[in-house]
Amino acid sequence: MSNEIERLLVAGASGDTGRELLRQLRSVDVQVRAMTRSPNKERELSEEGADEVIVGDLLDPADASRAVADCDAVLCAVGSSPSLDALLGGDLVDGAGVENLVYAAVAAGVEGFVFESSIGVGDSREGMPAALRLPLWHVLNQKNHAESVLRTSGLSYTIIRPGGLTNAPATGNVLVGEGGESVSGSIPREDVARLMIAALFTSDAENRTFEVVSREGQRGTARGVVEIDWQVPGEHEIEIEE
């Protein structure tokens, strides 16, 4: 991915990971456009660090195109709230919404796209406890579809599949697995946001899919752990355990 990113889009900016992305991007020399579906969140997101806020719904292709126009990169942290659609079926922002955003990014000439997916998606299925997979099956399937669309889009991408997300402070010490059945456990959103931002500036992360947990949140035996030389803008470092 390019080191010359002037403007980027944070999709899903009003979610917990999205807000953490905005906070961390304050220390990065880049113009930040935040997208949310909630008109009443505009002021809050500006206070969090967004230079510009766009209100729209990624399930509308026109809104997706408007959101990504003139952007060099996308950090996509969208997620579905609990609903009947999330449980029973129907288009979700995790699937059709991300698909619209990917196609819009291709049309806009975006250089890099980082997608927050989840352990439990696709070949990482066994990394999520079965008791959680059942109620989330439709969301996981939608995210799996979005991953497939992104991989075949021609965009330079990184897919980050975090374990169970927590609001604990960043550990700065993460296990990065690759290959699906690699690592399992939990990770603070702050660590995930740092990895997502770093992925835009890390050539080793290009066109790859990673499962990530914090070292202290690891559950079971880690397999397929890889070493990535993360290029983290700002002062903070990320340690990688092998």
Side-chain angles (χ1 to χ4, degrees), residues 66-78:
R66 183 168 55 91
V68 80
D70 301 319
C71 287
D72 303 303
V74 174
L75 295 173
C76 183
V78 300

Side-chain angles (χ1 to χ4, degrees), residues 5-242:
I5 297 173
E6 296 182 1
R7 178 183 290 108
L8 63 79
L9 171 70
V10 177
S14 57
D16 289 336
T17 302
R19 289 176 182 271
E20 186 57 44
L21 286 167
L22 294 181
R23 286 192 286 270
Q24 294 190 28
L25 285 166
R26 289 176 178 174
S27 63
V28 181
D29 185 18
V30 64
Q31 291 288 308
V32 178
R33 176 183 294 162
M35 184 180 192
T36 178
R37 288 180 289 181
S38 305
N40 61 345
K41 298 291 179 64
E42 287 186 77
R43 181 175 178 180
E44 293 177 28
L45 296 180
S46 295
E47 292 173 349
E48 292 284 4
D51 299 295
E52 178 187 1
V53 179
I54 286 185
V55 177
D57 187 347
L58 290 179
L59 291 175
D60 182 342
D63 281 358
S65 296
R66 183 168 55 91
V68 80
D70 301 319
C71 287
D72 303 303
V74 174
L75 295 173
C76 183
V78 300
S80 295
S81 301
S83 66
L84 284 177
D85 282 343
L87 288 173
L88 302 177
D91 287 340
L92 300 178
V93 68
D94 311 71
V98 177
E99 181 176 13
N100 288 338
L101 186 58
V102 168
Y103 291 153
V106 171
V110 165
E111 296 181 15
F113 194 114
V114 180
F115 176 43
E116 179 193 26
S117 184
S118 174
I119 287 177
V121 172
D123 58 4
S124 70
R125 178 178 182 274
E126 297 302 321
M128 177 180 284
L132 293 178
R133 288 201 308 269
L134 182 59
L136 293 175
W137 71 270
H138 184 54
V139 173
L140 297 175
N141 284 343
Q142 290 274 295
K143 288 184 182 294
N144 188 47
H145 173 71
E147 286 190 7
S148 298
V149 170
L150 181 54
R151 289 193 189 97
T152 58
S153 67
L155 292 170
S156 176
Y157 72 87
T158 303
I159 296 170
I160 302 289
R161 292 169 166 173
L165 293 166
T166 76
N167 291 321
T171 66
N173 191 340
V174 298
L175 285 167
V176 178
E178 186 175 23
E181 293 186 31
S182 59
V183 299
S184 181
S186 63
I187 185 170
R189 288 180 173 85
E190 192 173 340
D191 281 323
V192 174
R194 190 172 300 164
L195 285 170
M196 290 178 69
I197 294 168
L200 290 175
F201 302 89
T202 302
S203 59
D204 285 352
E206 188 172 343
N207 298 334
R208 297 172 74 175
T209 300
F210 302 114
E211 296 82 41
V212 299
V213 298
S214 67
R215 183 67 181 86
E216 63 186 36
Q218 176 192 358
R219 182 180 64 246
T221 302
R223 298 183 294 272
V225 175
V226 295
E227 183 174 359
I228 305 295
D229 183 19
W230 297 103
Q231 302 299 306
V232 186
E235 300 176 355
H236 302 290
E237 298 294 332
I238 297 174
E239 298 178 10
I240 305 298
E241 292 288 326
E242 295 187 65

